[in-house]
């Protein structure tokens, strides 16, 4: 018998009689002041949320905040003045010197400040992790109260890869001192349109 | 005594030699427990979430074979290669086989307690394969040639000065430097070079979705993602119990996990891997290693519901004061003490006794595992199976006869009070381990029952 079948047989023999699944539909977040809650949650993650009126304004704010950056790339078509990144054009390792990556997110989550980004918005899966700094754009109408509504939104959508990202990468492994910028971005800016 | 036969009490004594460090360790972990409380208290639905998580996991364990088959089918459709390992040896051999097929002899690894359980690093070393841990805390303990002492905070037992000295020796940081920001920045440079040059990355798995065949990996540092998205071959190792039925069940667990672990509302990254990148590979190794046996132990089955948040570690008065290494197993703390005896009753017979049975672990557990009840049940089983030292068994038997005979109990109490007052050395001596680091109580002049009799009479007279 293969290892697979031996394991499955042992599990089948030892698992108890089937127990029911609970109704998780009972969990609903309050759909009030989600924008304000989201902005507060983002700053608790170490990120920075900024309200913006247009893509032009975002481009202007980025150029101001990252005037020293050598390589800024984006996957957002509306940001016409920036270098566009397309999937498969080059090996992901060529992104190693990216100072700032700018991309869209599907939505934000008010309870924890996370944004949901799938592979199609990243173009390269490595991009939101390898860049020294990360900027993300969401629309103010796309903020859900909790993770339950987040997964209602995701539903059965198909993606190769997707990630909830909540702030810059961080660690507190040395004596519990919080340090931003572990392996991924050292800062995260969220523009709310 | 051989190092490998040292028990929890011996190893705790070693940790307790440095009282200042024990106090610091205790306070640090309690601070994390308090952060957990603050995060939890913000959610009025916390108890309902725990109940839902518990029921989902009960369902998973009751239908695990079906879910595993469904997960395998979906993952395979998604282009992932699924492997099965009955035990640690098979798991390690599969990893080496995957690497050798690709001609790879260097690998990076993000946090995976399963690979600690399987002693993968030692095995790879024997096979001439270099492995570098990329979680900062794990890199620290790897450089120190130690196992992690905590499943979420691997080097919580180390002071920053010690980490500074390790980094000076291995990474060439400035001598005497111990600033966490500086040390983290240097580790970032050191590990970034590994991320960019290694072709294989191994990660753990937090959740595996039967419905979609995707796996979810949670980190704060982003090291699992950096490894997985830059490598040619991503190997993900998971225990059979990591299954979640459907995607819609994930929010319940993602809301509980990090609040319980560190008090954050979510980890920085909760990454969902469904397919490999074009031209790249994902291998998932599904590991049993004793889990199917534990599934058959009715009293201990629910230990498999664990989502590895370590809330039970941080709250445990014994763990906080004895340190993770005193548990001499990959997963320390209260949950480790009910998982380890399943793997080897003789070797880990001491662990269920490394508890005060105060029940704090069960109260903070996000999936409602009755940890302290299971510790108590393991004690009974281990005594029955003859894995407990004869002195402890004799003491328990002695207590049993004293407590079950009221007249004898009365007399023994009287004798005890007399002994403590008049000849304390008869009980407080090196032969009685109970008195280690404990002070003698003041012996009362009368027993509780005589005090009660007397005072109850007073009450009646009023």
């Amino acid at each position: 018998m293969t290892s697979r079948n031996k394991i499955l047989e042992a599990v089948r023999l030892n698992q108890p009689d089937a127990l029911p699944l609970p109704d998780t539909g009972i969990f609903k977040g309050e759909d009030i002041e989600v924008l304000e809650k989201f902005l507060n949650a983002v700053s608790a993650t170490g990120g920075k949320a900024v309200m913006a009126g247009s893509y032009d304004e975002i481009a202007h704010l980025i150029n101001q905040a990252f005037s020293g950056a050598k390589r800024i790339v984006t996957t957002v078509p509306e940001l016409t003045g920036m270098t566009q990144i397309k999937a498969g054009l080059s090996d992901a390792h060529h992104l190693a010197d990216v100072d700032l990556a700018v991309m869209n997110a599907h939505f934000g989550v008010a309870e924890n400040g996370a944004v949901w980004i799938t592979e199609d918005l990243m173009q390269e899966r490595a991009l939101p992790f390898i860049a020294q700094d990360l900027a993300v754009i969401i629309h103010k109408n796309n903020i859900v109260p909790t993770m339950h509504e987040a997964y209602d939104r995701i539903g059965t959508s198909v993606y190769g890869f997707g990630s909830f990202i909540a702030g810059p990468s961080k660690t507190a492994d040395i004596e519990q001192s919080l340090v931003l910028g572990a392996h991924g971005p050292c800062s995260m800016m969220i523009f709310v349109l | 005594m051989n190092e490998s036969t040292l028990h929890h009490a011996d190893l705790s004594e070693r940790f307790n030699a440095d009282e200042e460090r024990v106090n610091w360790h205790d306070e640090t972990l309690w601070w994390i427990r308090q952060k957990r409380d603050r995060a939890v208290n913000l959610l009025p639905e916390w108890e309902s979430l725990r109940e839902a998580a518990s029921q989902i996991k009960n369902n998973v364990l009751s239908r695990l074979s079906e879910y595993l088959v469904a997960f395998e089918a979906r993952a395979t459709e998604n282009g992932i290669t699924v492997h099965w390992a009955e035990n640690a040896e098979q798991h390690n051999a599969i990893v080496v086989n995957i690497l050798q097929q690709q001609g790879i002899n260097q690998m990076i690894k993000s946090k995976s307690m399963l690979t600690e359980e399987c002693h993968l690093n030692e095995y790879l070393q024997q096979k001439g394969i270099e492995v570098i841990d990329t979680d900062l805390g794990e890199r620290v303990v790897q450089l120190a040639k130690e196992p992690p002492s905590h499943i979420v905070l691997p080097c919580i037992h180390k002071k920053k000065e010690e980490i500074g000295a390790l980094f000076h020796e291995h990474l060439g940081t400035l001598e005497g430097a111990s600033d966490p920001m500086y040390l983290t920045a240097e580790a970032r440079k050191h590990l970034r070079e590994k991320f960019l040059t290694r072709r294989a990355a191994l990660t753990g798995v937090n959740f595996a979705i039967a419905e979609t065949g995707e796996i979810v990996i949670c980190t704060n540092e982003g090291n699992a993602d950096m490894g997985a998205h830059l490598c040619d071959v991503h190997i993900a190792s998971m225990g059979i119990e990591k299954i979640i039925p459907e995607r819609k069940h994930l929010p319940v667990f993602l809301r509980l996990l990090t609040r319980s672990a560190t008090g954050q509302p979510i980890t920085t990254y909760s990454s969902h891997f469904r397919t490999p990148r074009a031209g790249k590979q994902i291998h998932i190794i599904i590991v049993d290693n004793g889990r199917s046996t534990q599934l058959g132990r009715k009293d201990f089955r629910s230990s498999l519901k664990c989502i590895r948040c370590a809330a039970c570690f941080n709250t445990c008065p014994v763990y906080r004061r004895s340190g993770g290494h005193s548990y001499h197993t990959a997963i320390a703390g209260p949950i480790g003490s009910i998982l380890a005896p399943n793997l080897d009753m003789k070797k880990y017979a001491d662990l269920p006794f490394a508890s005060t049975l105060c029940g704090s672990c069960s109260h903070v557990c996000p999936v409602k595992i009755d940890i302290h009840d299971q510790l108590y049940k393991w004690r009974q089983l281990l005594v029955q199976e003859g894995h407990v030292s004869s002195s402890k068994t004799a003491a328990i038997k002695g207590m049993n006869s004293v407590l079950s005979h009221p007249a004898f109990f009365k007399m023994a109490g009287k004798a005890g009070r007399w002994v403590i007052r008049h000849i304390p050395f008869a009980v407080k001596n090196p032969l009685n381990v109970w008195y280690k680091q404990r002070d003698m109580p003041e012996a009362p002049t009368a027993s509780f029952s005589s005090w009660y009799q007397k005072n109850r009479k007073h009450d009646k007279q009023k």
Side-chain angles (χ1 to χ4, degrees):
Chain A
M1 199 156 46
T2 62
S3 292
R4 173 190 185 272
N5 291 350
K6 274 193 218 167
I7 294 169
L8 287 173
E9 188 56 27
V11 170
R12 213 169 281 129
L13 278 174
N14 287 340
Q15 69 193 15
D17 293 339
L19 291 163
L21 276 169
D23 172 20
T24 50
I26 58 165
F27 297 108
K28 294 261 182 280
E30 277 186 312
D31 204 0
I32 45 169
E33 290 168 0
V34 285
L35 176 61
E36 199 186 333
K37 285 179 191 164
F38 177 73
L39 298 177
N40 288 334
V42 167
S43 74
T45 66
K48 195 177 166 197
V50 181
M51 299 300 293
S54 66
Y55 285 102
D56 283 346
E57 191 188 343
I58 290 171
H60 176 71
L61 289 169
I62 286 172
N63 288 332
Q64 261 185 344
F66 295 92
S67 56
K70 289 198 189 77
R71 191 174 176 203
I72 298 178
V73 300
T74 187
T75 59
V76 181
E78 290 86 350
L79 294 173
T80 45
M82 284 178 202
T83 310
Q84 297 280 328
I85 289 286
K86 286 269 181 285
L89 279 186
S90 61
D91 184 87
H93 290 78
H94 292 291
L95 302 169
D97 63 349
V98 168
D99 291 307
L100 175 73
V102 189
M103 60 188 67
N104 282 313
H106 294 286
F107 59 85
V109 185
E111 72 164 324
N112 55 28
V115 292
W116 173 245
I117 312 177
T118 47
E119 189 168 14
D120 52 322
L121 299 179
M122 300 171 183
Q123 294 292 322
E124 280 291 347
R125 291 184 192 184
L127 188 57
F129 306 97
I130 200 169
Q132 295 293 330
D133 295 291
L134 177 65
V136 164
I137 303 168
I138 64 164
H139 198 277
K140 68 173 191 300
N141 294 333
N142 289 332
I143 297 171
V144 298
T146 74
M147 293 299 280
H148 303 291
E149 292 78 19
Y151 279 92
D152 288 345
R153 282 281 290 260
I154 293 171
T156 54
S157 63
V158 174
Y159 46 77
F161 173 76
S163 192
F164 280 102
I165 300 183
S169 84
K170 54 184 79 74
T171 180
D173 274 346
I174 302 176
E175 283 198 13
Q176 283 298 294
S177 303
L178 179 67
V179 180
L180 301 183
H183 304 294
C186 299
S187 79
M188 182 175 182
M189 208 175 232
I190 298 180
F191 294 102
V192 183
L193 269 177
Chain B
M1 216 178 201
N2 185 319
E3 191 73 11
S4 64
T5 58
L6 284 176
H7 286 165
H8 181 265
D10 310 312
L11 294 162
S12 307
E13 200 166 334
R14 198 179 281 179
F15 187 70
N16 273 267
D18 185 347
E19 194 173 327
E20 219 173 288
R21 180 185 297 249
V22 177
N23 291 341
W24 167 76
H25 189 263
D26 178 19
E27 283 160 19
T28 307
L29 289 159
W30 186 248
W31 178 65
I32 299 165
R33 158 74 209 261
Q34 288 173 316
K35 285 203 294 180
R36 173 239 172 237
D37 289 349
R38 281 195 291 275
V40 165
N41 292 339
L42 291 174
L43 291 192
E45 66 271 42
W46 183 256
E47 288 306 316
S48 312
L49 280 171
R50 286 179 77 211
E51 184 55 35
S54 172
Q55 287 183 24
I56 294 168
K57 282 285 186 177
N58 283 336
N59 167 271
V60 166
L61 295 179
S62 75
R63 298 180 56 185
L64 188 55
S65 58
E66 290 166 60
Y67 286 141
L68 284 166
V69 170
F71 174 75
E72 179 194 37
R74 295 294 91 72
T76 308
E77 282 168 17
N78 297 342
I80 289 172
T81 310
V82 178
H83 308 257
W84 299 77
E86 289 166 62
N87 49 43
E89 297 75 48
Q90 283 188 7
H91 167 266
N92 295 347
I94 290 168
V95 173
V96 167
N97 196 24
I98 295 168
L99 296 176
Q100 283 176 346
Q101 274 182 8
Q102 305 295 320
I104 295 172
N105 59 9
Q106 291 179 314
M107 183 175 77
I108 48 174
K109 181 159 85 68
S110 70
K111 209 185 271 168
S112 152
M113 292 321 295
L114 177 58
T115 60
E116 292 292 332
E117 178 186 316
C118 295
H119 299 287
L120 176 68
N121 285 15
E122 293 91 318
Y123 183 86
L124 291 177
Q125 222 168 1
Q126 284 165 19
K127 297 282 173 186
I129 295 169
E130 178 211 69
V131 56
I132 290 178
D133 283 309
T134 58
D135 173 85
L136 178 60
E138 289 213 318
R139 187 67 183 134
V140 168
V141 291
Q142 188 181 32
L143 291 174
K145 297 190 169 58
E146 291 174 15
S149 70
H150 186 290
I151 59 175
V152 174
L153 320 158
C155 67
I156 191 68
H157 61 291
K158 287 229 175 294
K159 304 285 285 184
K160 60 181 189 233
E161 291 77 14
E162 294 169 292
I163 296 168
L166 270 172
F167 279 17
H168 173 63
E169 185 191 341
H170 296 279
L171 312 186
T173 55
L174 297 171
E175 193 168 5
S178 64
D179 174 46
M181 209 184 275
Y182 167 72
L183 295 177
T184 303
E186 290 299 310
R188 176 185 172 95
K189 275 189 240 165
H190 159 70
L191 289 167
R192 187 161 264 251
E193 189 267 328
K194 312 296 176 209
F195 288 125
L196 290 169
T197 53
R198 300 306 189 256
R199 291 174 51 215
L202 189 145
T203 68
V205 171
N206 290 90
F207 307 100
I209 319 299
E211 172 198 32
T212 59
E214 69 197 301
I215 52 173
V216 178
I217 303 169
C218 306
T219 73
N220 274 322
E221 296 186 7
N223 56 319
D225 285 288
M226 281 292 276
H229 306 318
L230 289 167
C231 70
D232 296 335
V233 182
H234 170 192
I235 303 171
S237 298
M238 60 174 265
I240 54 172
E241 80 283 20
K242 294 289 172 187
I243 293 279
I244 298 291
E246 296 170 53
R247 213 186 250 169
K248 72 173 186 198
H249 297 124
L250 267 174
V252 172
F253 293 95
L254 291 178
R255 296 185 82 200
L256 289 164
L257 177 64
T258 326
R259 285 182 173 94
S260 299
T262 60
Q264 294 168 264
I266 192 168
T267 45
T268 304
Y269 304 107
S270 308
S271 291
H272 302 47
F273 295 78
R274 202 184 64 89
T275 64
R277 284 173 293 143
K280 310 294 178 191
Q281 301 176 14
I282 297 181
H283 295 261
I284 294 178
I285 310 177
I286 302 176
V287 185
D288 183 343
N289 204 35
R291 287 163 176 75
S292 61
T293 310
Q294 187 87 323
L295 186 63
R297 299 184 199 272
K298 192 169 162 285
D299 284 343
F300 307 115
R301 170 182 296 150
S302 74
S303 61
L304 296 171
K305 289 156 70 178
C306 175
I307 57 171
R308 305 288 190 262
C309 71
C312 63
F313 288 50
N314 304 338
T315 200
C316 177
V318 175
Y319 174 85
R320 282 187 277 118
R321 292 174 183 82
S322 66
H325 291 157
S326 65
Y327 293 79
H328 58 95
T329 174
I331 299 175
I335 183 69
S337 302
I338 59 176
L339 291 171
N342 172 58
L343 290 172
D344 187 337
M345 278 202 219
K346 187 166 183 277
K347 191 173 171 191
Y348 300 117
D350 55 324
L351 295 185
F353 293 90
S355 165
T356 62
L357 300 183
C358 70
S360 186
C361 46
S362 306
H363 288 293
V364 297
C365 178
V367 292
K368 292 186 137 181
I369 303 170
D370 53 341
I371 304 173
H372 73 296
D373 286 334
Q374 292 189 41
L375 287 164
Y376 177 63
K377 286 174 185 165
W378 267 120
R379 292 181 184 188
Q380 293 170 318
L381 185 64
L382 290 164
V383 171
Q384 273 169 27
E385 300 277 323
H387 295 301
V388 174
S389 75
S390 51
S391 64
K392 196 170 261 170
T393 316
I396 292 167
K397 279 192 182 142
M399 265 329 263
N400 182 34
S401 58
V402 172
L403 294 175
S404 50
H405 299 92
F408 190 32
F409 175 80
K410 238 180 193 171
M411 193 195 76
K414 210 169 196 175
R417 285 189 297 280
W418 188 87
V419 166
I420 290 176
R421 270 203 308 276
H422 300 285
I423 47 164
F425 51 85
V427 285
K428 187 178 170 76
N429 62 49
L431 293 173
N432 190 349
V433 290
W434 181 255
Y435 276 104
K436 246 189 226 175
Q437 287 161 332
R438 283 188 174 92
D439 286 324
M440 294 279 280
E442 193 83 24
T445 46
S447 70
F448 171 73
S449 61
S450 54
W451 175 90
Y452 182 73
Q453 296 260 324
K454 198 171 133 199
N455 285 277
R456 199 174 57 161
K457 271 180 204 150
H458 282 304
D459 279 351
K460 276 185 184 162
Q461 280 161 7
K462 278 177 200 168

